[in-house]
Amino acid sequence: MAQVKLAVIYYSSTGTVHGMAGRLAQAGEKAGAEVRLRQVAELAPPEAIAANAGWSQHFDATRNEPRATPDDIVWADAVLFGTPTRYGNVASQLKQFIDTLGPQWSKGLLADKAYAGFTASMTEHGGQESTLLALYNTIYHWGGVVVAPGYTDQLKFVDGNPYGVSHVTGGNNDTPLGDAQLAALDHLAERIVKIAAKLSRVE
Ligand SMILES: Cc1cc2nc3c(=O)[nH]c(=O)nc-3n(C[C@H](O)[C@H](O)[C@H](O)COP(=O)(O)O)c2cc1C
């Protein structure tokens, strides 16, 4: 069977979602996929970035990493989108990238693929679920297949998010990913690769 193509497309200001994306890419490769790991472009004004030490540091450290293009989504059989939670919603940087995909959408090039999402927020009830559900609105419009992790493995009862994978960064925005989140990220990558392989199987 041909190798599943997995795109991990994300935005991250201060590195949390970046770390989650890297783990998903590794797990996707382990599951046998060909992986593209891509950040979307930063759109915030330089003065906003400069005012936050963690943001400036992450921006400088990742400025030469590959940027997402529309072709990355068209190429993929499976797409994992990552975004920090912004007022319970998708970050504008990721949304802006998504909003450039009208030409691909109108040609049906975004349909019939497997999609899922991952996010981080500062607080436990800070809107992770609403962020993932908002992200999935776009997938329905594309005719994509949302591959929610659900409670399809015992480990999902530990991280506790059936909508995707999420992490709480804490008040100082510096709580590292724990075993539960790492296991949930590995599970999401394995699951989407498995489902994408089933979706593209020739009958
Ligand atoms: C403008 C803005 C809005 C935010 N909104 C929320 C929120 O609604 N709930 C929450 O818990 N955290 C919120 N946060 C905190 C971020 O979600 C958190 O810092 C982020 O997940 C860290 O991800 P990153 O390190 O990849 O940038 C917000 C942060 C910013 C800058």
Side-chain angles (χ1 to χ4, degrees):
M1 196 191 295
Q3 211 178 2
V4 168
K5 298 187 187 87
L6 170 66
V8 182
I9 309 286
Y10 69 97
Y11 172 73
S12 181
S13 293
T14 54
T16 312
V17 173
H18 172 85
M20 297 172 83
R23 179 74 179 207
L24 286 164
Q26 269 178 5
E29 275 172 6
K30 257 190 218 156
E34 182 183 353
V35 177
R36 288 189 189 176
L37 174 62
R38 302 284 188 268
Q39 59 174 337
V40 300
E42 180 58 87
L43 303 172
E47 56 273 23
I49 300 171
N52 178 322
W55 196 352
S56 317
Q57 215 169 31
H58 182 69
F59 179 74
D60 289 339
T62 59
R63 66 189 326 150
N64 296 322
E65 290 188 5
R67 290 294 155 100
T69 67
D71 175 65
D72 294 322
I73 313 282
V74 173
W75 166 86
D77 305 304
V79 182
L80 290 167
F81 280 123
T83 173
T85 287
R86 292 279 185 260
Y87 312 121
N89 217 320
V90 176
S92 57
Q93 290 87 342
L94 180 65
K95 189 61 168 57
Q96 166 72 4
F97 173 73
I98 285 171
D99 290 353
T100 64
L101 301 176
Q104 290 74 21
W105 161 77
S106 67
K107 291 185 193 130
L109 298 174
L110 309 178
D112 304 340
K113 298 170 188 287
Y115 294 91
F118 56 104
T119 189
S121 69
M122 188 171 273
T123 59
E124 199 168 353
H125 298 284
Q128 297 179 340
E129 292 173 11
S130 60
T131 297
L132 292 171
L133 291 171
L135 174 68
Y136 295 159
N137 283 336
T138 295
I139 309 310
Y140 299 131
H141 284 243
W142 290 352
V145 179
V146 174
V147 179
Y151 294 99
T152 53
D153 190 290
Q154 280 305 309
L155 63 85
K156 291 304 296 179
F157 290 93
V158 183
D159 86 293
N161 190 342
Y163 299 88
V165 177
S166 52
H167 175 58
V168 178
T169 63
N172 295 323
N173 205 28
D174 61 358
T175 305
L177 296 169
D179 290 346
Q181 289 76 39
L182 293 171
L185 289 164
D186 292 349
H187 170 262
L188 184 67
E190 282 160 26
R191 178 169 162 78
I192 202 165
V193 169
K194 184 178 80 183
I195 302 292
K198 287 188 183 184
L199 280 176
S200 44
R201 189 181 296 156
V202 177
E203 294 299 328

